[in-house]
Amino acid sequence: MKKIISGLLASAMAFAATSAMAQTKPLKLGAILDMSGLYADITGVGSETAAKMAAEDFGGEVLGRKIEIIAADHLNKADLSANIARDMLDNQGVEAIIDVAASATALAASEIARARNKIIIFNGPGSIRLSNEACGPYTVHYVFDTYAQANVTGLATVKNGLDTWFFLSADYAFGQDLEKDTTAVVTKAGGKVLGSVKHPLNTSDFSSFLLQAQSSKAKVVGLANAGGDTITAIKQAAEFGLTRSGGQKLSPLLAFISDIDSVGLDTAQGLILAEAFYWDLNDETRAFTKRFQERTKRVPTSAQAGVYSSVLHYLKAVKAAGTTDSAPVMKLMKETPINDMFAKNGRIREDGRMVHDMYLFEVKKPSESKGRWDDYKLLATVPAEQAFQPLEASRCPLVKK
C-alpha cells in the first residue's frame, strides 16, 4: 500500500510540475513595424526576422520561459501605434517593445510604455526627441538619430566646400528634427541654408519641391526624409537633371542600403551618406548577413541589424537580472557594454541613447560594384563621442547636470 501511495504521489507531483511548466507564460517581445508602407524595406518583415534570429541564437528561452516575437503593422499612424502598444502591454503580456519604425509612431508608443514602466527600444525611428524631451527611464534609442545623421553627413559636405544648402523635408517629427539638426551643423561649420520646403509623407510627386530647390542655386539639396520618400526624391531629381546638368549635389540625410538598391547605382552613384551599419564591413557583419539573407533574400538594413543586437542585449540583461522587471533589467543594459556584429564598445547612456561608431559612405559607381548590394565605399569611421549629441547638451530631464 505504501508503494502504491508513493507511486501515486510521485505521479501527482510529476503531473503538477508538468502542468506548472505548461502554464509558464512565454516571454513576449512586441515589434511595432511598418509592414506594408514606405518604411517596410527598412524595418518590416526584416526586423521581425532579425528579432526571431536573436531569440533563436540566445537559445529560444530565458528564465525557463519560451521567447516569442509578435509583430504588428502600425500603418504609419501614430494613434494606431499607441493602440497597438496599449494592447500588447495590457492584453497580450508583452514585456518589452522593439523597433517602432518612424518617429511619430515611436513617440506615440513611447507614451504608452512609459505610463506602464515598460522597456521600449527604438531601432527604426530617428527623431532626437526620443532621447531628449521624450526620454524615459526605460527608453532606449539604439541605432541612429537625426543629430548623428546630420553631424556625420552635414559636417563632411561643408568641409568639402559644399557650403550652401536647400532642404526637402518630410512634414512630421523626423523630417523637422533632421532639417533642424542639419541646419545647426551646416551653419556652425560656416555654411548657409538658402531655404527649405516641407512635403507630405509618402508623396508621389516631388516636381514642385525640386523646382524650388533648383531655383535656390544651393550647392546641396538635403533630403530630410526616409524610405519611399527618399527613393522617389532621388529618382525624380535625376529625371530633372538636378545633379548631372544642374551641378547640384543631392544629399540623403537618412538613406539605407535598401533605398540605394531600389534607386540603382546608375542614379545613386556619388551620393554621400551616413549609416550605423553596413553588411560588408568585416567578417562578423558578413557572417550575420549570410544567415539573414538565407531567410529574407536581402541584406539587413542598419535598423534590422540593430533589432538583432538590441534583442540579444535585452535578453542577456534579463538572464543576468533573473527577472523581466524593467528597473533591474535596464540597469544591467546600461552597465553592460555592447560588443557584437553591430557595435563595438557601444553603451546606453543615462538619456537612453546607445552611442556607437557611425560611418560615412560614398555610393559606388556601377563599374566599381561587384554585384547587387555591393554599394558603398567607406570614407570615414566617426567615433561615437563625435557622432552623437554630447550628454551635456541633452535636454533629457533624467540627465544630471
Side-chain angles (χ1 to χ4, degrees), residues 7-211:
L8 289 171
L9 284 172
S11 298
M13 290 174 67
F15 177 79
T18 303
S19 298
M21 288 178 66
Q23 292 171 7
T24 300
K25 294 180 180 179
L27 189 155
K28 295 182 181 180
L29 299 180
I32 305 179
L33 307 166
D34 180 355
M35 304 291 276
S36 55
L38 74 167
Y39 305 133
D41 286 345
I42 297 169
T43 62
V45 173
S47 284
E48 181 182 7
T49 300
K52 289 179 177 179
M53 286 176 65
E56 291 167 13
D57 289 350
F58 191 77
E61 64 175 42
V62 62
L63 306 183
R65 299 170 64 181
K66 181 182 176 183
I67 303 164
E68 283 187 17
I69 307 297
I70 61 174
D73 188 352
H74 60 39
L75 302 177
N76 284 304
K77 296 178 180 179
D79 57 343
L80 180 57
S81 179
N83 288 337
I84 291 171
R86 187 179 294 109
D87 181 57
M88 282 182 169
L89 297 175
D90 292 352
N91 303 320
Q92 297 189 53
V94 165
E95 297 285 0
I97 291 174
I98 54 175
D99 204 329
V100 202
S103 295
T105 47
L107 289 163
S110 180
E111 290 296 320
I112 303 302
R114 184 188 297 126
R116 290 153 179 77
N117 292 319
K118 289 293 187 179
I119 290 172
I120 185 165
I121 304 171
F122 301 114
N123 304 96
S127 175
I128 197 169
R129 299 181 206 183
L130 293 167
S131 56
N132 278 272
E133 297 87 351
C135 75
Y138 307 123
T139 296
V140 179
H141 202 177
Y142 206 86
V143 177
F144 64 93
D145 60 34
T146 52
Y147 183 99
Q149 295 297 133
N151 200 32
V152 174
T153 309
L155 195 58
T157 52
V158 174
K159 283 184 175 180
N160 285 314
L162 301 170
D163 54 3
T164 56
W165 283 64
F166 186 95
F167 290 98
L168 268 63
S169 305
D171 194 12
Y172 74 113
F174 165 75
Q176 295 159 11
D177 287 349
L178 190 50
E179 179 185 330
K180 179 183 175 183
D181 290 337
T182 309
T183 295
V185 172
V186 168
T187 53
K188 185 178 179 180
K192 293 181 180 180
V193 174
L194 304 184
S196 68
V197 61
K198 303 288 191 297
H199 68 78
L201 185 68
N202 206 17
T203 185
S204 60
D205 186 4
F206 278 85
S207 56
S208 64
F209 311 123
L210 290 167
L211 282 171

Side-chain angles (χ1 to χ4, degrees), residues 314-391:
Y314 169 80
L315 293 173
K316 289 175 183 177
V318 167
K319 182 178 180 179
T323 179
T324 57
D325 290 348
S326 296
V329 171
M330 184 56 71
K331 183 175 183 293
L332 283 168
M333 288 178 72
K334 289 181 175 179
E335 290 176 351
T336 308
I338 298 159
N339 285 293
D340 57 19
M341 58 82 201
F342 179 78
K344 298 301 178 190
N345 296 315
R347 63 185 181 87
I348 301 171
R349 302 188 311 199
E350 57 197 277
D351 60 349
R353 175 66 257 170
M354 200 281 267
V355 293
H356 52 83
D357 292 349
M358 292 284 291
Y359 305 97
L360 184 68
F361 296 106
E362 181 180 354
V363 177
K364 291 181 175 180
K365 299 175 184 177
S367 60
E368 296 172 321
S369 175
K370 297 177 182 177
R372 189 183 182 189
W373 308 114
D374 180 25
D375 294 344
Y376 292 166
K377 290 188 291 187
L378 179 63
L379 298 181
T381 299
V382 183
E385 60 273 14
Q386 295 178 24
F388 290 95
Q389 180 187 53
L391 196 57

Side-chain angles (χ1 to χ4, degrees), residues 277 282 284-285 288 304-306 308-309 339-344:
F277 172 89
N282 53 53
E284 282 184 277
T285 59
F288 171 75
Q304 292 160 351
Y308 176 88
S309 173
N339 285 293
D340 57 19
M341 58 82 201
F342 179 78
K344 298 301 178 190

Side-chain angles (χ1 to χ4, degrees), residues 246-267:
Q248 290 175 295
K249 189 80 171 178
L250 206 62
S251 179
L253 297 168
L254 179 62
F256 295 84
I257 192 72
S258 53
D259 301 329
I260 303 305
D261 183 66
S262 295
V263 171
L265 294 184
D266 274 333
T267 300

